Amino acid sequence: MAGTAAASSGAAMLCGKEEKVLGVQKAPGSCPYCGGGVAATDVEAKWVLCCLPLCRKTKRRFACTACARRLVTYPAILHD
């Protein structure tokens, strides 16, 4: 029984997405929901297929330090 659980978890790690946190720092601004501080987290995401890396991206994610909500940034709207 334990051998099957280990085999199934090993198969899950062969294909999928792996994320690694590179660093966390304080970001300017405040949370629009509760007014708490904002933390910026640098995350490296890597897609893996059968132990072969397919794609690697570095992203910056923002989250509130008080209510732990993930905050999304949108590009600026340019008017003509």
Side-chain angles (χ1 to χ4, degrees):
M1 193 77 134
T4 1
S8 65
S9 67
M13 293 303 293
L14 291 177
C15 301
K17 183 178 180 181
E18 298 175 4
E19 290 187 347
K20 182 170 90 171
V21 175
L22 300 176
V24 179
Q25 59 189 2
K26 185 177 178 184
S30 61
C31 175
Y33 301 103
C34 71
V38 178
T41 306
D42 295 323
V43 178
E44 181 182 66
K46 181 171 55 170
W47 285 93
V48 178
L49 178 63
C50 298
C51 300
L52 297 172
L54 295 177
C55 180
R56 178 183 286 175
K57 290 184 181 179
T58 304
K59 301 177 188 177
R60 178 166 282 182
R61 294 183 179 162
F62 297 95
C64 176
T65 57
C67 67
R69 286 191 181 185
R70 186 166 174 209
L71 306 174
V72 180
T73 58
Y74 294 103
I77 298 173
L78 301 175
H79 296 284
D80 290 334

